[in-house]
Amino acid sequence: MNTTRRTTQLAVTAVAAALGVTALAGCGGSDTSSSGSGGTKGSGTKSSGSKTVTLVSHDSFNASDAVLKEFTARTGYTVKVLKSGDAGVALNQEILTKGSPRGDVFFGVDNTLLSRALDSGLFTPYEAKGLDAVAADTRLDAEHRVTPVDTGDICVNYDKKYFADKKLAPPQTFDDLAKPAYRNLLVTENAATSSPGLGFLLGTVAAYGEKGYQDYWKKLKDNGVKVVDGWEQAYNEEFSGSAGGRKAKADRPLVVSYASSPPVEVLYAKPQPTEAPTGVVTGTCFRQIEFAGLLDGARNEEGGKALLDFLISKEFQEDMPLNMFVNPVVKDVKLPELFTKFGATVEGPKTVAPDLISKNREQWVQSWSSLAVK
């Protein structure tokens, strides 16, 4: 996944963008006023008459040409994707332009940053069609200002070759990462600017409590943890286990990424290996949920609603795993074999209640910054 994701991507989530894969817009339809699946609540719905609906996202949004063409065929709208960096950066840009948004729908705000988006009044409420098929534990906003789209687990990944060559067992837990055997091996993202970095911080809060996490980060700092701005740099420039990291001669065999990162290293390798070159430290995982919402002041509100409906359709949800490397939120969606074979299954990931994140996030990040970035 890229810097969120992922979101996540992503996400968490969102590894695909790191490999140079870009989102493709579907072919344009002819009926610009057709509501398609977004025609609910039609009275009072604003429509610009445009054939284009603009999706603002972090860098990790990716969908197949075929699935976006299906959206166009179904609704008459063409999707334009405006990528805006890491999830935190992208969200901040939208908050700065609130009321005069750069697009119609924003994708990529996750449960770590959700309260910031909702408190800023960034979204217009809309209950997407098909929401009843979405897992109940992902629906965190009763007012429907955002729609759940995917989940992912932010976890430390490791370079299998490095640990095999060193005859060193990979770490298994948060505690292990602070042990002398793993000194100067871990790279993570800045919790103030990166969604995976923030997710990893929240994982340590969940593991050690609101008081104990600071002592833990002191230990990590003493053990040589490296902090970089975002996921792209951490995974593709600093992590020795990724394809990008190998080209860059990276020297950090541990990185904060996602449980679904290993399938990426298999899918895009030529020839494809029979085993992923990277593994997942499942004892370090934090559950991320990514959302999309209709931006307040959207020029093409009708098209935006149609797109939100489509993001939780079976077609889009089945397209996500091998494009954004995230898990669907719609129940009974079939996952690709490569995704399930090489991705890690995380039992009991760390979580923090959304109200606690909302109340304490800024304080936690500020305290973390004073410990880890100095």
Side-chain angles (χ1 to χ4, degrees), residues 78-207:
T78 297
V79 180
K80 176 184 177 182
V81 180
L82 180 60
K83 296 185 178 182
S84 303
D86 196 296
V89 174
L91 177 61
N92 287 339
Q93 288 180 346
E94 285 313 300
I95 290 174
L96 289 172
T97 59
K98 188 186 80 168
S100 300
R102 297 176 296 157
D104 306 303
V105 171
F106 182 84
F107 167 79
V109 60
D110 65 27
N111 50 314
T112 70
L113 296 170
L114 182 59
S115 65
R116 181 184 296 171
L118 298 183
D119 292 346
S120 71
L122 197 60
F123 300 114
T124 297
Y126 172 65
E127 184 173 352
K129 282 188 173 180
L131 192 62
D132 55 349
V134 171
D137 61 357
T138 67
R139 290 182 251 160
L140 302 185
D141 179 37
E143 296 180 39
H144 306 299
R145 290 164 291 182
V146 290
T147 300
V149 177
D150 66 75
T151 68
D153 292 309
I154 296 168
C155 317
V156 170
N157 282 209
Y158 64 92
D159 178 355
K160 290 181 178 178
K161 184 178 185 303
Y162 174 91
F163 288 97
D165 289 348
K166 297 292 184 181
K167 295 182 172 54
L168 176 64
Q172 299 297 313
T173 64
F174 284 113
D175 282 348
D176 287 348
L177 297 173
K179 292 179 178 178
Y182 307 104
R183 185 181 301 277
N184 298 327
L185 302 187
L186 174 65
V187 58
T188 188
E189 301 84 0
N190 192 317
T193 58
S194 167
S195 178
L198 179 55
F200 185 61
L201 167 59
L202 292 175
T204 65
V205 172

Side-chain angles (χ1 to χ4, degrees), residues 186-227:
L186 174 65
V187 58
T188 188
E189 301 84 0
N190 192 317
T193 58
S194 167
S195 178
L198 179 55
F200 185 61
L201 167 59
L202 292 175
T204 65
V205 172
Y208 299 103
E210 294 184 50
K211 296 181 179 178
Y213 85 94
Q214 295 188 49
D215 289 336
Y216 176 72
W217 276 96
K218 289 177 184 176
K219 293 176 183 178
L220 276 190
K221 182 68 173 179
D222 291 342
N223 210 39
V225 63
K226 185 173 185 177
V227 178

Side-chain angles (χ1 to χ4, degrees), residues 12-30:
V12 60
T13 84
V15 188
L19 299 158
V21 184
T22 57
L24 299 174
C27 297
S30 57

Side-chain angles (χ1 to χ4, degrees), residues 25-109:
C27 297
S30 57
D31 184 3
T32 60
S33 63
S34 171
S35 64
S37 58
T40 51
K41 305 181 182 179
S43 59
T45 297
K46 292 187 294 183
S47 176
S48 65
S50 173
K51 295 180 180 180
T52 300
V53 55
T54 300
L55 177 72
V56 182
S57 174
H58 53 57
D59 284 347
S60 304
F61 179 84
N62 191 55
S64 69
D65 189 31
V67 80
L68 290 178
K69 285 181 177 179
E70 171 62 24
F71 171 72
T72 300
R74 184 180 297 185
T75 67
Y77 296 111
T78 297
V79 180
K80 176 184 177 182
V81 180
L82 180 60
K83 296 185 178 182
S84 303
D86 196 296
V89 174
L91 177 61
N92 287 339
Q93 288 180 346
E94 285 313 300
I95 290 174
L96 289 172
T97 59
K98 188 186 80 168
S100 300
R102 297 176 296 157
D104 306 303
V105 171
F106 182 84
F107 167 79
V109 60

Side-chain angles (χ1 to χ4, degrees), residues 276-360:
T278 60
V280 176
V281 184
T282 56
T284 64
C285 298
F286 176 83
R287 176 61 51 86
Q288 182 184 47
I289 306 168
E290 281 193 305
F291 303 86
L294 182 67
L295 287 164
D296 180 52
R299 291 188 183 90
N300 191 350
E301 186 175 301
E302 189 175 346
K305 290 181 177 182
L307 182 57
L308 287 172
D309 293 343
F310 191 71
L311 292 177
I312 57 171
S313 69
K314 181 179 179 181
E315 291 84 356
F316 186 85
Q317 292 279 304
E318 289 186 344
D319 189 68
M320 290 192 310
L322 293 185
N323 279 291
M324 292 193 287
F325 296 88
V326 290
N327 295 295
V329 293
V330 172
K331 294 170 280 187
D332 301 323
V333 169
K334 186 177 180 180
L335 292 171
E337 182 181 1
L338 184 144
F339 188 79
T340 57
K341 181 178 180 181
F342 297 106
T345 300
V346 179
E347 301 293 342
K350 301 295 184 185
T351 59
V352 178
D355 59 335
L356 285 178
I357 296 176
S358 175
K359 180 181 178 181
N360 298 295

